[in-house]
Amino acid sequence: MIVSLVGNLVGSSSQKGFGTLVWNPLTYLDMLQTSSYTSGNRAGCFFIAACFSYSAIFSSIFENSLPAGNDIAALFPKYLTIRKGLFICAVISFAINPWYLLGSASIFISFLASYQIFLSSITGVLLCHYYIV
């Protein structure tokens, strides 16, 4: 709730400051630096951008690694904890080379096509369970 409140307040303040509504935070930071390029303004934009980076990295880590760590720990509960599952997920995620998938459009499209094979089987089971069971 706080994040959406701050986003709405900043977006509304852009109407008064710049004469247009700016909802993209990066565009807003760019407009701030374009309007007055002072050392205080640059420092403020740097810290705001650092907070965006921190938020993106750690929300991605916790939103993706905690469920994976929990699932990996559920496979062998006698030997693995959720923390060990998190570390296993972190190692596996670097072994997959996700930056390679975004290297070119053809690689990304072939990855999406292979990903669709798994999703279609899961969707079939979910639909049968919903309508039949």
Side-chain angles (χ1 to χ4, degrees):
M1 186 173 110
I2 293 171
V3 172
S4 64
L5 180 68
V6 169
N8 285 329
L9 289 174
V10 170
S12 339
S13 70
S14 69
Q15 173 71 31
K16 184 169 178 133
F18 299 113
T20 181
L21 285 174
V22 180
W23 291 100
N24 186 357
L26 299 177
T27 306
Y28 188 72
L29 290 177
D30 185 43
M31 289 176 79
L32 280 175
Q33 284 194 352
T34 305
S35 65
S36 82
Y37 194 70
T38 63
S39 60
N41 203 356
R42 284 182 297 168
C45 288
F46 170 77
F47 287 121
I48 292 170
C51 288
F52 284 147
S53 301
Y54 177 81
S55 171
I57 289 170
F58 284 100
S59 68
S60 178
I61 287 172
F62 289 119
E63 289 171 359
N64 295 325
S65 297
L66 274 175
N70 193 15
D71 292 342
I72 291 171
L75 290 174
F76 303 106
K78 184 177 179 182
Y79 303 107
L80 296 176
T81 62
I82 294 176
R83 180 180 286 180
K84 289 179 184 177
L86 279 165
F87 289 125
I88 291 171
C89 174
V91 169
I92 290 173
S93 67
F94 279 108
I96 292 174
N97 291 332
W99 51 88
Y100 176 72
L101 297 175
L102 298 175
S104 70
S106 62
I107 294 172
F108 186 65
I109 290 173
S110 66
F111 168 73
L112 288 180
S114 65
Y115 192 63
Q116 181 181 4
I117 293 169
F118 296 110
L119 288 181
S120 62
S121 60
I122 293 170
T123 305
V125 170
L126 288 173
L127 287 174
C128 288
H129 183 268
Y130 181 76
Y131 286 113
I132 296 171
V133 177

